[in-house]
Amino acid sequence: MDVINTIVGLGASVMMPIIFFVVGIIFRMGIGKAFKAGMTVGVGFVGVNMVISLLLDNLGPASKAMVERLGLNLTVVDVGWPTASTIGWGTPIMVAAVIGFLIINAVMIVLKFTKTIDVDIFNYWIFLQTGAVMYAVTGNFWVSVIFTWVLFAIVLKVADWTAPYIQKEYNLEGISFPHMAGLAWSPLAIAVNWIIDRIPGLNKININAETIRKRFGAFGEPVVLGFILGLLIGVLAGYSPDKAVTLAINIAAAMVLLPKMIDVLIEGLISVRDAAEKQLKVWFPNRQFFIGMDTALLIGDSSVLATALLLIPITILLALILPGNKMLPFADLASTVFLLALVTPFVRRNMFKMLIVGTLSVIVILYVGSDIAPFVTQAAVQSNIDLPSDFTGIANMTGAVSSWIGWLTVKIGQLINMIF
């Protein structure tokens, strides 16, 4: 367990170069090319993380300021994905679950049950946190581990099914996204897209980054759009003019820099993917494989970023007006961009549809978070996380636990308790 925690503690920027170097060696790239590819992926991750940190470090305080201005006093606190990942990696079921993930992926590949080779090991925490909640509900170690394994296997299959749509929309050949927190909202995106396409008038609305640029010229460029949206958030947060302008410029910088950093990351991925594809065709003729990656690759899209910025004040408003809501959006407010990453391909980058899906997702998250908070809190205690004494319940907005998957996990666990 200490070894796994040490490796995970290195972070994606260190883990990914090592993983891709090893993968490159396995697929006979040669030490030099494998090292360069791994380092390029690592540099890309450093760049992406730097820009994401720039975005979140500026949006986080602004989001919290908006919450404070509205005087929201809710009893379930959104503690953010870093705490949620700590719950996952600290749960008692972690070692058994992770070993199972690696074996399951290998067996499914060999038996042709999946095309996805999931190298996104850091985000195993999403499965682990869900398993931790099951353990909190049932108190049964092996039921929780097996449940987590089943989720993992299902997500590999869903990643296979969704990969062609994502690859086409984002031009990412050979990549899939076994990211349970993002995939949770893909069915909702498909449903919303189908319904809106059949409503006269609404089916004519198509707002995306390209149409905004064509209609508004320079004012539709990502850098200007980011500045305008950042300024709006600064005003809603009650910032002084100089502080609001600083926020706006930093968000504009993130809108421009994030896609460029993702391009560096993809450069390294492509070289490994090409080598893997070539060698896998020798080992497994007539088969197709995908490399499973983090949705961080997708959030650099201008439509995704712009819609996520609009979703922040909407989330705060919903928390204020929804009857029965107990959840306070807080630490993960600035991370709502990750909710939209695997929505975009199924609404064809239409920001109007994305905003509807995002709003509906937030409504589900607030109610699920309110309902299952006692079990998430218990999972945190079982993972030896010290919580402030005044916390009556915790949740997080961008993990799978606060989606319909988390709610279903709790209900299945309660049913198991009734039967056994």
Side-chain angles (χ1 to χ4, degrees):
M1 184 170 179
D2 289 339
V3 173
I4 295 176
N5 282 329
T6 300
I7 295 172
V8 172
L10 296 174
S13 300
V14 178
M15 284 177 61
M16 286 303 174
I18 296 171
I19 290 171
F20 277 91
F21 173 73
V22 172
V23 170
I25 294 297
I26 290 172
F27 292 118
R28 303 181 180 179
M29 286 185 71
I31 292 177
K33 289 183 179 180
F35 182 76
K36 179 184 176 182
M39 288 303 298
T40 303
V41 170
V43 169
F45 262 102
V46 169
V48 168
N49 287 335
M50 286 174 63
V51 180
I52 290 176
S53 294
L54 173 69
L55 184 67
L56 300 187
D57 289 348
N58 282 275
L59 278 178
S63 302
K64 292 170 186 176
M66 280 191 278
V67 170
E68 291 169 1
R69 283 191 82 197
L70 288 172
L72 292 179
N73 185 23
L74 302 169
T75 58
V76 176
V77 180
D78 161 30
V79 293
W81 71 263
T83 301
S85 67
T86 306
I87 293 172
W89 287 110
T91 178
I93 72 167
M94 184 270 288
V95 174
V98 169
I99 292 172
F101 295 160
L102 298 173
I103 294 172
I104 288 166
N105 199 173
V107 170
M108 289 180 68
I109 286 288
V110 171
L111 296 180
K112 301 182 181 180
F113 290 162
T114 186
K115 302 174 184 177
T116 294
I117 303 170
D118 187 2
V119 300
D120 186 23
I121 293 174
F122 180 77
N123 280 317
Y124 280 1
W125 73 262
I126 298 170
F127 299 98
L128 293 170
Q129 188 201 12
T130 308
V133 170
M134 175 61 81
Y135 188 52
V137 177
T138 64
N140 189 308
F141 182 90
W142 284 110
V143 164
S144 305
V145 169
I146 293 169
F147 177 80
T148 312
W149 288 345
V150 171
L151 280 180
F152 181 77
I154 291 172
V155 168
L156 288 179
K157 288 300 299 181
V158 175
D160 290 345
W161 296 330
T162 55
Y165 301 95
I166 299 167
Q167 290 171 9
K168 179 180 179 182
E169 193 65 40
Y170 286 99
N171 193 28
L172 287 172
E173 185 181 350
I175 305 296
S176 68
F177 294 89
H179 194 272
M180 186 164 66
L183 289 172
W185 307 113
S186 296
L188 181 59
I190 294 168
V192 167
N193 186 70
W194 187 88
I195 292 169
I196 290 179
D197 280 352
R198 282 154 182 78
I199 300 176
L202 290 183
N203 58 9
K204 302 298 182 183
I205 300 174
N206 185 17
I207 304 171
N208 56 47
E210 290 184 10
T211 58
I212 290 173
R213 278 196 292 268
K214 288 179 182 178
R215 184 161 186 174
F216 297 101
F219 287 97
E221 292 292 333
V223 63
V224 180
L225 190 61
F227 179 85
I228 293 170
L229 292 174
L231 200 61
L232 174 63
I233 290 173
V235 170
L236 292 174
Y239 279 4
S240 60
D242 59 328
K243 198 172 180 181
V245 170
T246 301
L247 172 66
I249 291 174
N250 283 324
I251 290 178
M255 294 278 283
V256 174
L257 293 175
L258 191 53
K260 297 183 185 301
M261 293 301 99
I262 289 173
D263 285 344
V264 175
L265 175 57
I266 290 174
E267 180 185 339
L269 287 176
I270 287 174
S271 60
V272 176
R273 182 205 66 195
D274 289 346
E277 186 176 32
K278 180 180 179 181
Q279 192 60 45
L280 285 168
K281 284 182 178 178
V282 175
W283 292 341
F284 304 98
N286 304 317
R287 287 194 60 187
Q288 183 184 31
F289 294 92
F290 303 139
I291 296 177
M293 288 298 297
D294 185 356
T295 52
L297 279 179
L298 308 178
I299 65 171
D301 184 87
S302 298
S303 298
V304 175
L305 283 171
T307 308
L309 292 173
L310 292 172
L311 196 57
I312 291 174
I314 291 174
T315 299
I316 295 171
L317 179 62
L318 288 170
L320 179 66
I321 66 173
L322 285 177
N325 172 55
K326 301 176 185 176
M327 184 173 170
L328 175 67
F330 197 66
D332 261 351
L333 261 176
S335 301
T336 51
V337 62
F338 289 98
L339 299 177
L340 301 171
L342 295 178
V343 165
T344 309
F346 301 100
V347 296
R348 299 183 295 276
R349 279 191 170 88
N350 187 327
M351 292 171 62
F352 171 67
K353 293 178 180 178
M354 287 165 65
L355 196 60
I356 291 175
V357 176
T359 300
L360 293 174
S361 301
V362 167
I363 291 171
V364 173
I365 288 167
L366 292 175
Y367 279 126
V368 169
S370 299
D371 186 41
I372 71 170
F375 302 106
V376 180
T377 307
Q378 187 177 342
V381 172
Q382 290 175 339
S383 296
N384 297 315
I385 295 175
D386 293 326
L387 298 174
S389 57
D390 57 344
F391 274 29
T392 58
I394 66 169
N396 69 290
M397 291 194 61
T398 56
V401 160
S402 291
S403 72
W404 59 270
I405 295 172
W407 184 86
L408 201 59
T409 297
V410 170
K411 300 309 170 186
I412 291 173
Q414 290 173 334
L415 181 61
I416 290 171
N417 285 342
M418 290 173 59
I419 295 173
F420 299 104

